[in-house]
Every structure is written in C-alpha cells, then in structure tokens.
C-alpha cells in the first residue's frame, strides 16, 4: 500500500496523458462509456478515482460524486478539474476499504483500480467491500484491461502491447505485474448481474485491449 501511495503521487501529473497516449484514447473512452448508465442525482463513488476524468463526467451528468484515493496528488487533480468545470464533489483521502460499507451508493466505479491488487484474494476482498457500499439494485462499474483473446497476430499484438504497458509502469515506478482478470466471473460470484459490457479494441481489427462493464445488485426483495 505504501508503495502504491508514493508511486501514484509521483506520477499524478502524467498518469492520464500517458494512459491516453498508450491506449490511443481507449482508456478514457472505456471510462466515459459508463456515464450513460447514471441518472441525475445518483450517488456515485469512484474508488481509486485518480485524476478524475470519469468522475468529472459523472458530475457533469448530474451525479452526486465522491472520489476516494490514497494518493493525495491524484485527488487534488480530480478536485481541481471538477471545480474548474463548475461542479462539486466529495473528496476522501483514504483507503477505500476504510470507507464504511453502509449500502448508500447507487453506483460505485472501480476503473483501472483492481489491477492495484496483486493477489486474487486481495482483489476479491476489495470487490466485496465495494459491493457493500451499494444500495440494493446498485451498480458496480469496472473499466480495465481485457483478457487476451484469439490467436495468431492478435495475441502477439496484445501481449506486446501489455508488455509495453508494464514497462511504462515500471519506468514510472509502479512496478507491478498486473494480472488481467475475468471480472464478469468475479461479479457473478459477488452476487451481481451483468447489465452491459463493451470492449474497446486498440484498432477496429482488434485485438481487444480494454473493456468496461456495468453489473447490478438485485433489488431489495419486496414485502410478501
Ligand atoms: C491505475 S490508477 C487509476 C485511476 C483512475 N481510476 C483512472 O482510471 O484514471 C489507480 C488509482 O487507485 C488508487 N488506489 C490504489 N489503491 C487504493 C486503495 N486501496 N484505496 C483508494 N485508492 C487506491 C491509486 O492511488 C491510483 O490513483
């Protein structure tokens, strides 16, 4: 956790620019795509909000936004950006695991966030915690790397692209080997139902590199 905190503070100023360049804009698109599933007035929490390009779009769409991040410099960038556009949000400088899971949010976004957790057990624990933040019927939104699919040149291109991504992370001090996970399976195991899923390939011919999804908790059971 300490290394995550230090590293993201150091790279806050270049994080989104590098991500945009590296993904040919697909990372930004994968996050922006989710906003169409939010309604004005929805209470939305961005876990590991980073510099807030998606949180700002949610605020613009009329959502009541909360940004949570362990890196103060990331959070400051999110705040500056949202306020510069004339919107307000709540900013919590904390580990999202320390935010009380009070079931009060209409939606929680975990974008390029679960890759911060090295082990499957850690990732599942954090996902369960995020589910606990949701109201019945609430949505968990995830944008992240997509698993490698297909064969031949597509696989080679995707592996190479991922290796370049890992290299960039290493260069800027976030030296993790970030596993790519089958989020739909984890979401189902956590009791959510997939509502929408979109892939964001690097080129129109593939390979798929990023994906974004919206899964929903069941509504509260009605009285008999
Ligand atoms: C890869 S960045 C993604 C940022 C943003 N969601 C985006 O898509 O641009 C991951 C962010 O999660 C934050 N983070 C990592 N672990 C966290 C935790 N346990 N609680 C809150 N934030 C955390 C990091 O500081 C960093 O800003």
């Amino acid at each position: 956790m300490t290394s995550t905190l230090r590293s993201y503070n150091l790279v806050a100023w270049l994080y989104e620019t590098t991500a945009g360049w590296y993904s040919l804009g697909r990372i930004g698109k994968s996050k922006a795509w989710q906003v169409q599933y939010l309604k004005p007035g929805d209470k939305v929490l961005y876990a590991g909000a980073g510099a807030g390009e998606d949180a700002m779009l949610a605020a613009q769409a009329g959502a009541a936004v909360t940004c949570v991040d362990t890196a103060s410099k990331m959070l400051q960038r999110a705040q500056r950006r949202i306020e510069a556009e004339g919107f307000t949000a709540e900013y919590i400088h904390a580990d999202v695991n320390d935010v009380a899971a009070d079931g009060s949010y209409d939606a929680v976004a975990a974008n390029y966030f679960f890759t911060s957790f090295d082990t499957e057990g850690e990732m599942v624990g954090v996902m369960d915690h995020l589910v606990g933040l949701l109201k019945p019927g609430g949505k968990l939104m995830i944008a992240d790397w997509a698993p490698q699919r297909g064969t031949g040149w597509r696989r080679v291109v995707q592996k190479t692209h991922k290796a370049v991504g890992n290299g960039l992370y290493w260069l800027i001090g976030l030296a993790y080997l970030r596993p790519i996970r089958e989020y739909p399976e984890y979401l189902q195991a956590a009791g959510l139902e997939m509502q929408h899923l979109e892939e964001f390939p690097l080129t129109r011919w593939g390979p798929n590199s990023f994906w974004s999804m919206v899964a929903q908790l069941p509504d509260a059971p009605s009285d008999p």
Side-chain angles (χ1 to χ4, degrees), residues 1 4-9 15-16 19 27 31 46-54 68-72 74-75 92-98 109-117 126 143 169 174 178:
M1 174 50 64
T4 301
L5 176 77
R6 189 177 56 242
S7 300
Y8 280 102
N9 272 329
Y15 176 77
E16 278 182 0
I27 287 179
K31 295 188 282 186
Y46 279 82
E53 62 181 338
D54 40 8
V68 183
D69 207 294
T70 43
S72 57
M74 284 291 219
L75 215 50
I92 303 178
H93 179 209
D95 185 324
V96 75
N97 292 299
D98 296 333
N111 292 334
Y112 300 89
F113 174 67
F114 287 124
T115 44
S116 298
F117 304 101
V126 179
Y169 267 106
L174 306 171
R178 286 152 183 274

Side-chain angles (χ1 to χ4, degrees), residues 200-215:
F200 294 84
L202 202 58
T203 72
R204 55 197 279 223
W205 305 280
N208 293 326
S209 290
F210 309 100
W211 59 357
S212 191
M213 62 200 80
V214 179

Side-chain angles (χ1 to χ4, degrees), residues 171-182:
L171 279 177
I172 61 181
L174 306 171
Y176 304 128
L177 261 186
R178 286 152 183 274
I180 297 178
R181 293 183 168 117
E182 295 282 355

Side-chain angles (χ1 to χ4, degrees), residues 9-203:
N9 272 329
L10 283 177
V11 300
W13 63 281
L14 56 70
Y15 176 77
E16 278 182 0
T17 311
T18 310
W21 166 80
Y22 167 72
S23 69
L24 306 179
R26 302 318 186 260
I27 287 179
K29 283 188 178 155
S30 65
K31 295 188 282 186
W33 170 87
Q34 299 165 347
V35 175
Q36 64 185 306
Y37 301 109
L38 299 175
K39 297 190 299 297
D42 274 358
K43 226 180 132 194
V44 186
L45 182 141
Y46 279 82
E53 62 181 338
D54 40 8
M56 200 275 287
L57 294 174
Q60 205 169 36
V65 170
T66 299
C67 297
V68 183
D69 207 294
T70 43
S72 57
K73 290 227 162 22
M74 284 291 219
L75 215 50
Q76 281 161 16
R77 291 187 84 79
Q79 181 166 6
R80 276 205 299 274
R81 158 185 266 149
I82 291 170
E83 288 178 357
E85 295 293 327
F87 302 108
T88 54
E90 183 185 9
Y91 306 93
I92 303 178
H93 179 209
D95 185 324
V96 75
N97 292 299
D98 296 333
V99 176
D102 60 358
S104 70
Y105 287 91
D106 297 290
V108 170
N111 292 334
Y112 300 89
F113 174 67
F114 287 124
T115 44
S116 298
F117 304 101
D118 290 331
T119 68
E120 185 187 18
E122 253 183 303
M123 193 275 291
V124 169
V126 179
M127 186 181 284
D128 284 344
H129 180 72
L130 298 188
V131 172
L133 290 161
L134 291 171
K135 290 177 181 171
K139 300 180 181 91
L140 183 57
M141 311 190 292
I142 300 175
D144 221 314
W145 300 82
Q148 292 164 10
R149 311 256 191 238
T151 52
W153 70 270
R154 287 187 169 78
R155 197 168 178 81
V156 173
V157 172
Q158 194 163 24
K159 268 183 173 294
T160 308
H161 186 242
K162 179 69 168 57
V164 171
N166 275 335
L168 278 173
Y169 267 106
W170 182 83
L171 279 177
I172 61 181
L174 306 171
Y176 304 128
L177 261 186
R178 286 152 183 274
I180 297 178
R181 293 183 168 117
E182 295 282 355
Y183 295 112
E185 291 171 14
Y186 291 102
L187 288 165
Q188 192 183 15
L192 293 104
E193 194 176 316
M194 187 63 70
Q195 299 294 319
H196 311 281
L197 190 152
E198 182 90 0
E199 297 191 336
F200 294 84
L202 202 58
T203 72

